[in-house]
Amino acid sequence: MSTSERPPKPDTSDKSDKSGPAAARPDAPAAGRASGPPPLPSSVRPLRDAGKISAAHAVGQAGAAPAARGGVGVSGAAAKKVFVPRPAAPRALGGLLQKSAQLSEAVLLEALADQEELRRGGGATTEGTRLGELLVKRHAVTEEQVLQALGLQFDLPVALELKPETVEPDLAQRVPINFAKQHRLLLLRRQPDTGIVEVAIADPTAVHVLDDVRRAVGGDVEPVLIPEGLIVEAINKVYSRDRIDAELHKHEDVAEEAETEEDVDLVDLNDEAPIIRWVNSVIFHAVRMRASDIHLEPHEKDLGVRYRVDNVLEEYKRAPRNFINSITARVKIMAGLNIAEKRLPQDGRIRRKIAGKDIDMRVATVPTGYGERITIRLLDRSAVLLNLSDLGFGEDHLETMTEMINRPHGIILVTGPTGSGKTTTLYAALSQINTPDINILTVEDPVEYQLEGISQIQVNPKIELTFASSIRSFLRHDPDVIMVGEIRDQETAGMAITASLTGHLVLSTIHTNDAASAVTRLIDMGIEPFLVTSSLATVLAQRLVRRLCAACRELYRPTPLELERLAIPVDRFFSGDFKVATYKTKAPPPPPGMLYRRHEGGCATCSKRGYTGRSAIYELLVINDEVRELSLRKTDATTLKRAALRAGMRTLRTDGAGKVMWGITSVEEVMLVTAEDKE
Ligand SMILES: [Zn+2]
């Protein structure tokens, strides 16, 4: 914690108790825990060191507090040796926020009324009914302002930052992780001069548990108020540091054992253990971060390691220049590549069990001016073998897709830009129909995942093994289903159509922005419209959107403008009458009239991203009579799309709006990936 902010010195003029109705109201019993514990008579002070409470504190004079508090704080000034908790505050949270955060009386009274209602309805539990939380939810004040006010109210120092790396792990672990999580507290460090232990707490009313903490550390403690999110995140980091180390070493042992044979001829690398550990940790962390790619990029002065996570590249770490050769050699050995060959690009594979997951890695090297650049694509086999029902389809779409892939013939096209998850959809479809009595052949560029029971071949232009020539030879092997990686030329399109017309189900991808354009693209490639309309069964356009982190997503009331951008009818939305398709969700949808959005700064669960993993949005075009008729007349894509919309097709954006309504993703994400999606 580098910056520690102390609440400003309380203004003695306003300790003069509640003078107006605004100040009086928050003190009413309804405010309960949210505005601090009710004042206790000094005889029932629950704290062990209550005797140390100064006279000024005992009568709750805020004005006297700073002097008594002295150097309390994470900055560690020495003036104050003992934490003196105060059971009561002279002013209530609501009143303080009115002063410090310009909270209006009207909003405060509304929040208090809400609180009363929630508590009446909620029985004994006060979860989520604190005044501060309610005000933050209403965006009336920020979490920081509440914390500052609580600091004043309870006379505790406040810090708005917590750096996990400054926490002493051995000290922190004096209390069990469950206790720390339950009470939202974390032991930070022992002040060198006083031996007092600084403890981060999120809830000022949790001071009673500090007795337990005192016993655990065998000395005095000093609490500091820190936002709950930061504490939880730091708890996860600090307590898992040891676990990660242990896990990493466990993995290394396995890896090194398994690799003893291939390491034998590594005579030129005398001290390879640190390099092996370094490379393993880079891969291990990539898996933990759910990265899809690792980039090892040699620069003039060092080697940069970047991860691609949810399609965003981020730097992970750097290694000094003099290690580049050993690191490169290590990765190449793991991937079964020729380490002596440094001038030509090479491709290889690594397969490992990492953190319980079966990970396939495709390794590609390419020479650059500063050395070999290495890209490792991570394929989590457990994640890819999904069913269609796991991909994020609306129930209606899933039903149609299931029906389509069970047809004996016809072409199913999946379209979208690179990185829109097309291959995953095709694999999911294949694994769903993959039974021993069905003969499935695929031709791919490249083969991304080995699917059990399916013959997969990789195109190889050098030996003239193309998509088209593969389909031609496939047809002699009596397949039921053919998957073609991509249709990008007339010859491939023609072969796919031939296969479909001769009684095969053909799955493939094509590169267009929307579903209707895929139809016109085939015709533009030079395929006769009647051949297209008689073979094409359906086109699925798709995009990936990030999934809101269910642990930290925020409920909010969207503006009419936001709703209009998603084509959600404003009135019906707010009256709760607007209905969308049904989607499978892990977390409950928002209540009527509300949506979820990303929490700025995220939380520990989502590594501060606000999103965890991805889902897809779809536009499913079924070739009906009208679309068929229009295509035969070589109608443009926009007219085709309009016809499909009349027949009930949802655009990508509308499907996205449905997922927003279900709290799966955010308005922001849908707008981002459907920028070109015009009606
Ligand atoms: Zn989160």
Side-chain angles (χ1 to χ4, degrees):
M1 195 178 334
S2 64
T3 66
S4 107
E5 291 184 33
R6 198 86 41 78
K9 184 182 164 147
D11 173 5
T12 40
S13 67
D14 67 68
K15 73 167 195 285
S16 55
D17 290 332
K18 327 76 193 166
S19 43
R25 181 64 202 266
D27 263 357
R33 197 157 71 116
S35 57
L40 296 171
S42 56
S43 60
V44 293
R45 255 178 248 127
L47 295 144
R48 205 178 52 176
D49 52 1
K52 293 172 188 161
I53 293 175
S54 70
H57 277 111
V59 294
Q61 297 297 314
R69 199 165 79 231
V72 175
V74 280
S75 49
K80 165 78 165 44
K81 304 288 182 208
V82 183
F83 163 63
V84 182
R86 292 190 318 150
R91 288 169 298 155
L93 183 65
L96 286 166
L97 284 169
Q98 280 186 292
K99 279 218 156 10
S100 63
Q102 279 82 47
L103 173 65
S104 80
E105 188 179 344
V107 174
L108 174 59
L109 291 177
E110 270 177 48
L112 284 167
D114 271 9
Q115 182 186 43
E116 215 175 308
E117 189 154 315
L118 282 170
R119 291 201 169 166
R120 227 183 290 125
T125 170
T126 52
E127 195 68 34
T129 67
R130 294 178 196 198
L131 182 62
E133 287 171 40
L134 292 172
L135 288 167
V136 170
K137 264 196 193 137
R138 286 170 167 264
H139 298 285
V141 295
T142 65
E143 194 185 350
E144 286 73 26
Q145 287 171 324
V146 171
L147 212 64
Q148 296 284 17
L150 285 172
L152 271 181
Q153 189 189 11
F154 288 84
D155 193 16
L156 293 172
V158 173
L160 299 177
E161 220 180 88
L162 202 176
K163 293 213 168 86
E165 61 272 21
T166 66
V167 174
E168 297 169 16
D170 292 346
L171 176 69
Q173 292 177 16
R174 293 278 186 94
V175 305
I177 182 167
N178 290 341
F179 181 85
K181 280 193 163 169
Q182 184 190 344
H183 298 292
R184 304 285 193 249
L185 61 81
L186 177 63
L187 311 196
L188 300 175
R189 66 185 71 78
R190 202 183 276 277
Q191 290 171 3
D193 46 349
T194 61
I196 293 174
V197 172
E198 292 168 4
V199 184
I201 58 171
D203 177 0
T205 62
V207 288
H208 60 279
V209 301
L210 292 180
D211 263 353
D212 295 327
V213 177
R214 273 186 205 99
R215 268 191 292 278
V217 301
D220 229 313
V221 299
E222 214 170 72
V224 52
L225 280 178
I226 293 183
E228 180 169 327
L230 295 182
I231 296 182
V232 174
E233 190 176 329
I235 289 174
N236 286 330
K237 286 222 172 90
V238 170
Y239 281 84
S240 70
R241 221 180 280 162
D242 285 358
R243 279 208 312 266
I244 295 169
D245 284 352
E247 211 170 333
L248 192 55
H249 284 288
K250 202 171 66 200
H251 165 63
E252 273 163 16
D253 293 345
V254 175
E256 278 170 49
E257 255 173 36
E259 284 157 19
T260 33
E261 270 180 71
E262 44 183 301
D263 284 348
V264 174
D265 56 350
L266 258 185
V267 281
D268 53 339
L269 288 174
N270 291 327
D271 191 15
E272 75 213 38
I275 299 293
I276 292 177
R277 248 196 321 273
W278 191 90
V279 171
N280 284 352
S281 80
V282 164
I283 296 174
F284 185 83
H285 276 275
V287 172
R288 263 183 70 94
M289 308 260 306
R290 295 181 308 100
S292 58
D293 302 85
I294 305 170
H295 296 268
L296 300 173
E297 299 157 322
H299 305 293
E300 193 181 348
K301 296 201 175 66
D302 57 11
L303 176 83
V305 180
R306 292 200 290 170
Y307 290 156
R308 185 177 291 282
V309 181
D310 290 346
N311 216 24
V312 179
L313 261 185
E314 45 193 63
E315 179 161 306
Y316 169 56
K317 63 162 131 183
R318 291 175 171 270
R321 166 108 213 134
N322 49 327
F323 289 112
I324 294 184
N325 286 341
S326 332
I327 291 169
T328 309
R330 172 68 198 153
V331 175
K332 287 166 80 176
I333 287 165
M334 289 173 85
L337 302 179
N338 177 358
I339 57 168
E341 177 54 79
K342 293 176 180 168
R343 293 161 309 165
L344 291 175
Q346 296 187 66
D347 293 313
R349 266 199 139 97
I350 305 173
R351 190 178 277 191
R352 285 281 187 290
K353 212 173 179 74
I354 300 170
K357 288 176 172 171
D358 204 0
I359 307 289
D360 238 355
M361 286 166 271
R362 252 197 357 244
V363 180
T365 70
V366 61
T368 73
Y370 297 120
E372 284 172 285
R373 201 197 131 101
I374 297 182
T375 307
I376 304 173
R377 168 151 280 201
L378 299 155
L379 309 165
D380 178 356
R381 298 174 60 80
S382 46
V384 71
L385 296 176
L386 297 167
N387 277 319
L388 282 181
S389 59
D390 301 319
L391 296 183
F393 283 109
E395 262 179 16
D396 51 345
H397 281 171
L398 181 61
E399 209 173 289
T400 311
M401 280 301 289
T402 307
E403 187 210 317
M404 290 290 166
I405 61 172
N406 284 297
R407 288 187 175 192
H409 56 84
I411 299 178
I412 297 173
L413 284 182
V414 182
T415 187
T418 308
S420 55
K422 299 189 293 279
T423 310
T424 305
T425 303
L426 289 185
Y427 279 129
L430 288 183
S431 33
Q432 194 144 323
I433 51 182
N434 183 18
T435 52
D437 56 325
I438 285 187
N439 188 7
I440 302 177
L441 300 175
T442 79
V443 53
E444 303 167 63
D445 182 21
V447 172
E448 288 203 30
Y449 307 90
Q450 302 284 345
L451 299 172
E452 219 161 293
I454 294 180
S455 312
Q456 296 168 277
I457 67 167
Q458 180 148 345
V459 295
N460 187 346
K462 279 182 215 153
I463 54 168
E464 289 182 8
L465 186 59
T466 62
F467 283 128
S469 65
S470 306
I471 305 172
R472 193 172 296 121
S473 53
F474 277 175
L475 292 178
R476 291 191 286 270
H477 291 273
D478 182 34
D480 300 293
V481 180
I482 296 174
M483 195 262 257
V484 185
E486 187 184 346
I487 293 180
R488 49 190 169 208
D489 52 53
Q490 187 192 0
E491 197 189 1
T492 310
M495 283 313 302
I497 286 170
T498 305
S500 158
L501 294 178
T502 51
H504 304 90
L505 182 71
V506 180
L507 303 177
S508 190
T509 71
I510 195 164
H511 211 103
T512 61
N513 275 337
D514 64 8
S517 306
V519 181
T520 51
R521 169 67 52 85
L522 288 174
I523 295 171
D524 292 345
M525 278 179 185
I527 306 294
E528 285 296 332
F530 80 92
L531 288 177
V532 174
T533 57
S534 52
S535 55
L536 196 58
T538 188
V539 184
L540 179 75
Q542 70 174 72
R543 297 286 187 281
L544 294 179
V545 289
R546 287 180 292 174
R547 233 174 223 285
L548 280 169
C549 169
C552 68
R553 60 183 187 171
E554 278 179 1
L555 204 57
Y556 77 111
R557 206 178 140 85
T559 63
L561 185 69
E562 260 179 299
L563 297 172
E564 278 160 18
R565 289 168 79 197
L566 288 183
I568 295 176
V570 177
D571 291 346
R572 281 165 61 207
F573 174 82
F574 285 116
S575 64
D577 293 335
F578 182 59
K579 296 279 174 283
V580 294
T582 306
Y583 296 87
K584 202 162 96 177
T585 62
K586 288 174 191 154
M594 303 289 275
L595 291 179
Y596 279 112
R597 68 179 163 205
R598 170 178 178 264
H599 173 63
E600 189 67 38
C603 70
T605 310
C606 55
S607 312
K608 296 187 184 171
R609 290 185 180 86
Y611 294 103
T612 47
R614 288 188 285 180
S615 182
I617 57 175
Y618 302 97
E619 177 178 285
L620 184 61
L621 171 74
V622 177
I623 311 295
N624 63 13
D625 288 343
E626 192 184 0
V627 172
R628 200 169 287 129
E629 186 61 34
L630 289 167
S631 306
L632 283 173
R633 286 189 267 135
K634 295 199 181 185
T635 312
D636 62 288
T638 313
T639 312
L640 281 186
K641 184 170 186 170
R642 280 202 209 107
L645 289 172
R646 277 196 298 279
M649 183 181 81
R650 285 201 290 283
T651 60
L652 284 168
R653 188 171 289 175
T654 308
D655 195 52
K659 301 202 109 170
V660 170
M661 293 281 296
W662 280 83
I664 298 166
T665 189
S666 65
V667 176
E668 222 181 339
E669 274 298 289
V670 173
M671 293 309 297
L672 196 70
V673 300
T674 61
E676 78 289 348
D677 193 18
K678 296 180 290 280
E679 303 276 305

